[in-house]
Amino acid sequence: MTTPLAAELGRLAAPASRTPFDDVRLSLVDALVAANTANRMGQDAWEEAFGAAVRSLRLRVLAEGETAVRAAAQLARYPARRMASVLPSSEDADVLLQRLLAEGMPLERFEGFADDPVTRRARAAAMETAWDGAVRVATAEMARWRAVAAELATWRRPTTTLWVLSVATLLIALLLASWLSGFVPAPAWFRPVNDLWWRLWP
């Protein structure tokens, strides 16, 4: 990286402390470095670098969100056939990408501007603002998926139907035992079964 570009990128190139998605940020910086080395620092280079960075953010957020949801589902023994309804969908991916790309609007103000020192500093400041906004969106989306996973981890299989079936089975078994033992008179339609049952015992 040339010294002027390093200074222009400010916190984007050298944050005061570790920040979320640092590897994606470094890839963004690398893309700008490559464009600077190729003497190609027009508007397209900045927008392409930002677009690639937010697409990486989207992949990261959705991948980690899916991992968290699957782990929670496994813990809760959530039915596999219902997993598709809780995992990140293609619609989620599209919406997230549009939200992330929208954070690049500060860069759009420089469309058609020449690559001069003043414009480059302004683009660098706009890129820093856009990146900070994209990180906020990605962090909020990550928190949303963690909340989905946390809620899913508390899921328990409904037991009402199981209890009803168990009680019904028990009552039927008790009734059959009562008929077979003669404790309760068996209905006429059941007497052949009763007779067959007692013939089995010498």
Side-chain angles (χ1 to χ4, degrees):
M1 178 183 291
T2 62
T3 302
L5 183 57
E8 289 162 2
L9 291 177
R11 288 188 300 106
L12 189 62
S17 59
R18 183 174 176 80
T19 59
F21 311 106
D22 265 345
D23 57 330
V24 180
R25 175 185 60 79
L26 290 173
S27 294
L28 170 58
V29 172
D30 286 346
L32 293 174
V33 170
N36 186 50
T37 301
N39 196 26
R40 190 181 65 85
M41 290 297 286
Q43 181 73 9
D44 288 349
W46 293 84
E47 291 186 356
E48 287 170 10
F50 182 74
V54 297
R55 283 175 171 81
S56 293
L57 280 182
R58 175 183 64 165
L59 289 175
R60 173 71 57 78
V61 168
L62 295 181
E64 294 190 14
E66 180 171 340
T67 298
V69 169
R70 286 190 182 279
Q74 184 176 10
L75 179 66
R77 297 182 180 179
Y78 193 75
R81 66 182 183 279
R82 296 171 59 182
M83 280 296 297
S85 65
V86 293
L87 289 173
S89 65
S90 58
E91 183 179 354
D92 292 321
D94 290 341
V95 170
L96 177 57
L97 179 60
Q98 294 309 313
R99 290 173 60 202
L100 291 167
L101 288 171
E103 294 299 325
M105 289 180 65
L107 281 169
E108 295 176 4
R109 297 197 307 265
F110 303 100
E111 185 68 45
F113 282 46
D115 178 26
D116 55 52
V118 173
T119 301
R120 185 178 292 197
R121 285 194 295 272
R123 280 179 173 140
M127 178 68 86
E128 187 175 310
T129 299
W131 173 251
D132 287 345
V135 168
R136 282 194 297 273
V137 170
T139 300
E141 186 70 1
M142 188 79 79
R144 185 176 78 84
W145 283 111
R146 286 175 182 151
V148 170
E151 182 177 353
L152 189 59
T154 65
W155 182 87
R156 295 294 179 269
R157 189 178 299 276
T159 58
T160 302
T161 301
L162 180 62
W163 278 109
V164 168
L165 290 175
S166 298
V167 170
T169 301
L170 178 61
L171 290 175
I172 292 171
L174 288 174
L175 181 60
L176 290 175
S178 298
W179 287 348
L180 290 171
S181 65
F183 185 75
V184 174
W189 61 266
F190 189 77
R191 286 173 189 161
V193 177
N194 200 352
D195 294 342
L196 176 62
W197 170 261
W198 286 110
R199 280 200 298 270
L200 293 175
W201 304 96

